[in-house]
Every structure is written in C-alpha cells, then in structure tokens.
Amino acid sequence: MGNKITVTFGSQHIAIPEPVSFVFETENEMITKVDVDVGYVHRGIEQAAVTKFKFNNVQFLLARVCGFCSITHAGAYIHGVEKLLGVETNKRIDYLRLIVTELDRMHSHLLANGHVAEVCGYENLFMQSVKYRENATEILEAITGNRVQYDYYQIGGVSRDLSAEHIEMIDVKLKELRVNVLKLRDFFDTDYTFGLKTKGVGTVTYEMAKAYNTAGSIARASGLRMDARNEFDFLPYEEVGYKLQTRTEGDVWARCMVRFDEVINSIDMCLYAVNNLPEGEIKVKSKGKPKGETFIRVEAPRGECFYYIKGNGTKIMERVRIRVPTYANIPVLRELFVGSQYSDAQAIVLSFDPCLSCTAR
Amino acid sequence: MINPELIMHEVTLENIKQTLLDWYDVDTHHYITVNAIDNGENLTFDWIFSEYEVKNVIHVFRAENIAYKSNIPSMMDVYPGAWVSEWDLADMFNLNMENAHRGMFLEPEAPTGPLLKESYSGK
C-alpha cells in the first residue's frame, strides 16, 4: 500500500498565474487521478458579442478574449465578417495581417518556452527568453501602437501601414531575434540536465494526439501534421515560406522544440513579407450588414482557433461561437497526468501552454 | 476572402451518434467542436470536423428544430475528447447533455443558460 496524498494545484499557483485548479490524487507521488476546474472568471464574451456591440466593433471585444492571441481572435472574426459582406482585401492587407499574426506567435512561443524553463529550475533562461522576446513586442508596438492588444485588424483592412523606416527596423530586429532564438534553441536541445527534466516526460503519443483531436504544437510535437495555416487559406502562408514543423517524441522537450522551430519559421516568413510587401491601400471599402453564417479556422499560437459567426442583416450579430485551442488540449492533458510523477506536473502543464483566459472567455 | 468548402450532413438527435460512429475515421477526420444556436423557438446543433492536410474543407453535421429540453447525446464514445465542448454548451445553454458535469465553466451563482436568447432578450 503506497502513501496516498491529495494535492491541489491552483486555483492560484506560482507556475501558472491564471485561475485553473487541478486536484491530484497521488500514491507514492505518482498521480492516480485528476480533476480539473476552469470556471473561475467566465466573462460572458460570447453573450456580449451578440447583445452589447455592433458587428463592426465586436472585433475589439473578441481581441480581449486573450491578451496573447488577441490578433487571432479579432482576425478570425474579421475574416468571417468579410466573407459575409463579400469584402475582398488586397495583397498588402493580407501581408500586413500575416506579419502581425506571426509576430504574435513569436512572442507567445518564447514566453511559453521560457515558462517551461522556469518551472524546470532555469530562472535565468526564462529571463533570457523574455529579454529576446522584447524584439517581437517592440516591433508590434511600432507597427500597431500597442504591445499586447493590437486592434490591428479592421473590417476591410488594417489600422496602420508600414513606413520604410518600419521595414528597416523590423528587418534588423528580426535578424537579431533569429540569432538569439537559435542560441536558446541550442541550449534546450543540448543541455543535459534540462533534457533529464523534459525528455520522456509527459509524452503524448501519435495515437493519443489523434484520438483526442489535439491541436497546435502539442499535436505537432507528437507527429500529427495538423495546422490551420496548412489547411485553411485565411492568409497567404504558402507565398511567404510557411513550413509545417513536426517532431515525433511527443514529450515536454519536443513541444518546446516545435515552438522554437515555429518561431524561426515565423521570423523567416515575416522577413520575406516585409521585404516583399505588395503595393496597395491598407483598407478597402465595405458596406452592408452581415447576413448568413460562416465557419472560420485560424492558427493561434496555442493551436487551432475556430469561429462560427452568424449575422441576421442587422447591426447585432446573431451568434458568435469560439472554440479556443485549449479546449482541444485539455482532454489529453487530463489523461496524461495519470501515471506521471507529481514533480513533473508543472513542466507538463506549462509545456501545454494552456490559456485560461481563452477558456473562460 | 476565405472560401471554405462546407459539406453539410443533415442528422437528428436520434441518429447523430450512429452516424458519426459510421462516418468518423480517426486517421482522416479532426473533430473541432460542437456548436449550438438559439433560433428563438428551438435550437440548432452542429458537430464540426476538418480533414487532416486537406485544404478548406469543413464537415458540419446539423440537427435542426431541437426542443430546449431535449436530451443531447454525448459523442465521447466516438471521440473521447468531446466532453470539454459538450460541458461548455451544457452550461451556456442549460442543456440536458448526456454525462455533462454541470458547473465546470460557470460558478453556481452565475446566470443559468447565458447564451439562451430568453436569458438576455427579456422574452
């Protein structure tokens, strides 16, 4: 008979500053059962989107679903509204949207990997990740005026254009960031002790990834070739050099490595986009009110984000449904804990990069 | 402008589980979510899927004219990760959802069924 202890993880925990609660039942520190609760701060955003905001302001509300992937929430909604209004954007608008979306992915991934390093005992590595991440947030601030909530997507376009000075600054900062990300990646790849804490830990097999319909870097780190950027033409990813990043190990380490590889690919895509920015206006005209329904898939930093939107020809939308990426990854996370050591729980949770802000939207 | 190919499948609450058991292939299909829409007099349910590495295809299994107090079947027998979206809808629409653990997304003192039109339209 082992030593049975029930351990609570959250709702406030030093490893994850968002309100989620796991209750682990352990036997000799091995997790035998887990319960999860995410419903501490539900904000009723789906209801507010169909009651309190006109359709041409809903994107500002939806951007507040999550600070980290605000651009993807606003973007998914705008793509849907443009479809319902019949708005065709030009290449310059598409490229500008892509640049901001990928910069958002860079800073989100670098923070996620930094958090994994932190809970594995590498505080300096976390600080270094955050320091290098500044390049991405500084570019975002220069382009959009904000470091987190960009409000860049607008119906028919974007809020600001890039100047020649912007392009020069972005080019320099992204090349600097690329060098630094490769340094970080090299450390994660080769450090012996970090490997002991992350390799073979929290392994999601290829079969599990498929069976539980996982999304994002969690799916791709298990070899599942699944990315909305590859399966849904919401932005011109093929033109700018998008490459699907996968690994087969499926553990905490592999999830970090996929994120680094995606950051490198995002940097390369942005460098191509800023240096080959098509000519054109940054906003095209739109008129009318959305009527009908549409289904949208976009790739947020944490995985696929799905929107269903329905308009009824009035200023107020009929239905806005958001399926955030964390929804796709909670079921496998819960299964994964059983049989794991409690001491690995923090690294497993952080390697999933869960977003409770999205979940309790 | 995005232009997805929507493949609509009409289903009923009685046949949805068997339909998905017959159709869903874990190697081909990716379950995205289940959605509910309040039409004012009844509900519409959509079970939504994509296909791995196939561009712009979305499958929607749609059940229409569903009464508010109907028993909604869970698809956990088809794909085990179904429960998160199902429990979310159960809270948001005050549904009789099979196996749903109520209160995971909303606290006990929260409004009941906040996405039902009657809860926000005053009707």
Side-chain angles (χ1 to χ4, degrees), chain A residues 327-342:
Chain A
Y327 269 38
N329 295 326
I330 286 175
V332 79
L333 176 62
R334 195 170 76 160
E335 296 302 315
L336 199 58
F337 280 131
V338 177
S340 296
Q341 293 292 314
Y342 178 72

Side-chain angles (χ1 to χ4, degrees), chain A residues 148-196:
Chain A
V148 181
Q149 291 288 354
Y150 320 117
D151 294 333
Y152 192 60
Y153 262 79
Q154 301 198 339
I155 296 172
V158 294
S159 59
R160 295 181 183 201
D161 203 355
L162 288 188
S163 65
E165 292 76 31
H166 280 131
I167 291 171
E168 195 177 326
M169 179 274 279
I170 292 168
D171 190 80
V172 170
K173 282 194 179 290
L174 282 182
K175 284 175 178 164
E176 189 181 284
L177 179 61
R178 197 180 196 285
V179 171
N180 289 329
V181 170
L182 285 173
K183 273 191 227 166
L184 284 175
R185 188 192 185 285
D186 185 52
F187 182 89
F188 276 66
D189 191 14
T190 57
D191 185 77
Y192 176 71
T193 314
F194 185 78
L196 287 179

Side-chain angles (χ1 to χ4, degrees), chain A residues 243-254:
Chain A
K243 289 178 188 152
L244 182 68
Q245 307 294 332
T246 59
R247 295 195 72 90
T248 55
E249 298 88 344
D251 51 14
V252 169
W253 179 82

Side-chain angles (χ1 to χ4, degrees), chain A residues 137-146 160-162 166 169:
Chain A
T137 47
E138 281 170 7
I139 296 170
L140 283 164
E141 186 178 9
I143 298 175
T144 70
N146 288 314
R160 295 181 183 201
D161 203 355
L162 288 188
H166 280 131
M169 179 274 279

Side-chain angles (χ1 to χ4, degrees), chain A residues 89-106:
Chain A
T89 53
N90 63 37
K91 271 285 168 67
R92 188 176 185 88
I93 293 167
D94 292 345
Y95 270 48
L96 290 169
R97 288 174 170 181
L98 187 147
I99 290 165
V100 175
T101 303
E102 291 310 305
L103 282 161
D104 186 61
R105 191 178 323 279
M106 288 174 213

